[in-house]
Amino acid sequence: MRGRNEPRRGYRLGSAKLARLTLTASLLFGGALLSGCTVGPNYKRPVATVPAQWDVAAPWRESAPKDSIAKGEWWSVFRDDDLNALEKQALAENQTIKISIAHLEQARATASIQIATLFPTLSAGGQVERQRLSGNRPTNGVPITLKPVQQNTFVLPFTVSYEVDLFGRRRRSIEAAEAAYQANAADMENVRLLITSQLAGDYFNLRQLDSELGILNRTVDALQKGLDLVNSRHQGGVASGLDVAQEETLLNTTRTEATLLQQQRKQFEDAISVLVARPAPDFHVAISELSAEPPPLDAGLPSDVLERRPDIAEAERQMAVANAQIGIARAAYYPSLNLFGQAGWQTSDIAKLANVQSIFWALGANVAEDIFTGGARRAQMQFARAGFDANVASYRLTVLSAFQEVQDDLTGLTVLSEAQQSQQQAVDAAQRTLDISTNRYSGGLVSYLDVVTAQQNLLTGQQQLAVIRGQRLVTSVLLVKALGGGWDASSLAAVQVKPQRKEIITP
């Protein structure tokens, strides 16, 4: 029986054990303090050559503020209700956008996995075992009497492990994962921009065909009336059969052209159906001719493109990922420090499992360093640096392509604007020619060939004018796309993984 002042066994540690435990904890804590060192280059955005201004003769368009492109719903600048409805449907249902959103969620989860490495890992388990020890088991030179023994073992252990980030390998991994997350966010915005701009372009091409069909249908009606007139004059002996044949030829040719345009229209309609996630046989867009003019757009300065375009932002974030990979490869040259601890209960009698005497524990640290790798670490460093160089070149190429797209679209709008003015004058002149030719034919001054020629010229001129008007709208869409669709790279600052307490403790 214990004396009154004898300490209860299992509740207090001896002074020697306590000293050793304190020393171990101090060493572990000191190792953790060393985790402030991060190897590898800190990221700095590489410089890209930016022109001072766009090469466009002024004035080529009306002045407009920089925010003339609506944030998000940029297509609203065209003031077309049908287009607005289709764009909203595409954003909600387009499968390519949904794929991009899923990839973004994967990138967020990957970043969360890396951030989780900042916390220690706690695991628990249980073991139940019954075994029989041989009566002839080796005694290792100890003179004892052996006999077969059967025994039970019940273990309930808890294990804690943590790798101290001595040289920033884990922090560089987190840096790379978060940059990849932001790159995926920019990619998703780029996919949205591509889908919405493709939809707007197909829509205006469809409306251009509607205008051409309207011109052809009105021309067919006018030619039919002309044919009736020529037939009447032919029956009265005033017109020849040649006049009738010429008018019939032009009429049937125009009808054929209108029929063929129906196929082109259906192809654009089917393309739109895919973008809005509707089956092509069940999807139809009501016919409506072009009525709007392209909105005034301000391209701003070329340097603005670097912040407006999501594909440039994605390329820039990929450079940050590649830069962090260099730090990860560099950290492989340095040792790793793992801290671990284990505690629990172990007994041969389950009834004594919760007894203080059944408690066991252990603390320790593990330091490891690769001494010889056959050049693998050096090769990994070379691979990471080459990857960064490739990303820098890809970024600069993306910037150059962006400048090209904006410049091409600005030039295209300038040319098309001038072409529309001159073509409108040509159509007005062709209409006057037709009116004069018809009056002169009615007066017997010219043959009907002059009238047919004037009709053909007017039809060709009207069709060309419709094409130019449609292409001006399509080019305006391409310019908005080239300028980033009202998007701004500053929005990526909010794309970060900030785990909440609930997320951290959730299994």
Side-chain angles (χ1 to χ4, degrees):
M1 185 173 179
R2 286 194 310 269
R4 173 177 295 182
N5 297 324
E6 184 181 350
R8 297 178 63 187
R9 186 170 300 174
Y11 282 86
R12 295 183 182 179
L13 295 174
S15 58
K17 290 185 177 180
L18 182 60
R20 288 196 297 271
L21 181 60
T22 303
L23 177 60
T24 301
S26 299
L27 291 174
L28 298 182
F29 180 72
L33 291 178
L34 296 176
S35 62
C37 177
T38 304
V39 298
N42 293 325
Y43 175 70
K44 182 179 180 181
R45 181 174 178 172
V47 177
T49 303
V50 180
Q53 60 187 8
W54 303 112
D55 181 19
V56 178
W60 68 275
R61 50 176 160 68
E62 296 180 21
S63 177
K66 284 187 178 181
D67 58 357
S68 60
I69 302 177
K71 299 294 183 184
E73 297 184 356
W74 57 265
W75 51 87
S76 61
V77 300
F78 294 97
R79 302 183 183 279
D80 190 306
D81 293 337
D82 291 337
L83 175 61
N84 293 343
L86 290 171
E87 293 285 8
K88 290 180 179 179
Q89 187 174 353
L91 288 177
E93 302 296 337
N94 184 268
Q95 300 304 303
T96 303
I97 293 178
K98 290 187 175 183
I99 292 172
S100 181
I101 292 174
H103 288 167
L104 178 62
E105 288 301 312
Q106 285 184 319
R108 187 188 187 283
T110 300
S112 297
I113 291 172
Q114 291 298 330
I115 291 177
T117 62
L118 293 174
F119 303 95
T121 301
L122 173 63
S123 60
Q127 178 182 346
V128 177
E129 183 181 63
R130 179 172 177 78
Q131 63 178 345
R132 181 181 186 276
L133 301 180
S134 169
N136 296 319
R137 61 186 179 275
T139 63
N140 297 324
V142 179
I144 59 175
T145 302
L146 295 178
K147 63 179 181 179
V149 177
Q150 293 184 1
Q151 64 182 27
N152 298 326
T153 303
F154 300 93
V155 183
L156 184 61
F158 294 88
T159 304
V160 178
S161 61
Y162 180 71
E163 180 182 356
V164 180
D165 196 17
L166 286 176
F167 300 99
R169 181 183 63 83
R170 191 158 61 242
R171 276 167 294 179
R172 290 300 188 192
S173 298
I174 293 172
E175 180 182 326
E178 289 194 328
Y181 179 34
Q182 293 176 335
N184 273 269
D187 177 70
M188 184 188 69
E189 293 297 336
N190 193 49
V191 169
R192 284 178 173 173
L193 180 58
L194 291 174
I195 294 300
T196 53
S197 60
Q198 183 179 349
L199 174 57
D202 289 346
Y203 175 81
F204 286 125
N205 278 312
L206 184 73
R207 292 310 185 204
Q208 173 190 315
L209 292 174
D210 287 346
S211 296
E212 292 186 66
L213 284 169
I215 293 170
L216 290 172
N217 291 332
R218 288 189 293 271
T219 302
V220 166
D221 294 338
L223 292 176
Q224 184 62 58
K225 293 178 181 178
L227 180 60
D228 294 341
L229 174 62
V230 174
N231 274 324
S232 177
R233 290 171 64 87
H234 176 60
Q235 292 172 2
V238 179
S240 67
L242 178 61
D243 295 342
V244 175
Q246 289 173 334
E247 190 71 352
E248 284 183 338
T249 300
L250 182 57
L251 173 60
N252 290 324
T253 301
T254 305
R255 282 175 174 165
T256 300
E257 189 173 356
T259 301
L260 293 176
L261 278 184
Q262 290 287 354
Q263 180 187 9
Q264 294 184 34
R265 186 186 189 280
K266 183 57 180 172
Q267 289 175 343
F268 277 106
E269 194 175 59
D270 292 345
I272 293 175
S273 72
V274 174
L275 295 175
V276 298
R278 292 279 300 278
D282 300 333
F283 180 77
H284 301 285
V285 179
I287 294 177
S288 177
E289 297 185 32
L290 289 173
S291 58
E293 289 293 317
L297 298 171
D298 180 16
L301 296 175
S303 58
D304 296 335
V305 176
L306 300 182
E307 301 299 328
R308 290 181 179 179
R309 287 187 47 135
D311 59 338
I312 292 179
E314 179 186 1
E316 187 274 331
R317 289 288 81 200
Q318 292 294 352
M319 286 192 299
V321 174
N323 184 80
Q325 292 295 336
I326 296 176
I328 295 172
R330 185 67 180 171
Y333 281 93
Y334 298 91
S336 62
L337 172 62
N338 288 278
L339 310 181
F340 63 89
Q342 189 178 40
W345 292 266
Q346 182 179 29
T347 182
S348 61
D349 185 357
I350 192 171
K352 298 180 180 179
L353 185 61
N355 193 293
V356 174
Q357 300 296 330
S358 301
I359 293 176
F360 71 91
W361 60 265
L363 292 175
N366 186 7
V367 179
E369 164 69 0
D370 293 331
I371 298 175
F372 178 77
T373 63
R377 289 180 295 189
R378 176 177 53 81
Q380 187 62 39
M381 277 290 298
Q382 293 174 341
F383 181 85
R385 291 187 183 280
F388 178 75
D389 293 340
N391 277 275
V392 171
S394 178
Y395 167 75
R396 289 172 175 163
L397 179 60
T398 303
V399 172
L400 291 173
S401 299
F403 291 149
Q404 177 192 357
E405 291 177 11
V406 176
Q407 183 63 61
D408 287 349
D409 295 333
L410 288 174
T411 304
L413 283 178
T414 303
V415 171
L416 289 171
S417 179
E418 296 174 354
Q420 181 173 337
Q421 295 178 11
S422 60
Q423 187 62 27
Q424 183 63 61
Q425 294 172 356
V427 169
D428 295 341
Q431 183 64 61
R432 292 196 302 272
T433 300
L434 177 59
D435 295 340
I436 294 173
S437 299
T438 302
N439 291 334
R440 289 171 65 84
Y441 172 75
S442 298
L445 298 178
V446 296
S447 68
Y448 199 70
L449 178 60
D450 291 344
V451 177
V452 172
T453 301
Q455 290 173 331
Q456 289 176 324
N457 290 339
L458 177 60
L459 175 59
T460 301
Q462 289 175 330
Q463 286 182 288
Q464 186 63 36
L465 180 60
V467 170
I468 292 173
R469 291 183 61 196
Q471 290 309 301
R472 281 190 68 198
L473 287 165
V474 171
T475 305
S476 294
V477 171
L478 293 177
L479 177 59
V480 174
K481 170 180 169 290
L483 293 174
W487 184 80
D488 195 295
S490 61
S491 62
L492 288 182
V495 182
Q496 295 181 355
V497 178
K498 298 179 180 179
Q500 304 298 319
R501 180 179 301 176
K502 181 180 179 181
E503 295 179 347
I504 295 174
I505 64 176
T506 300

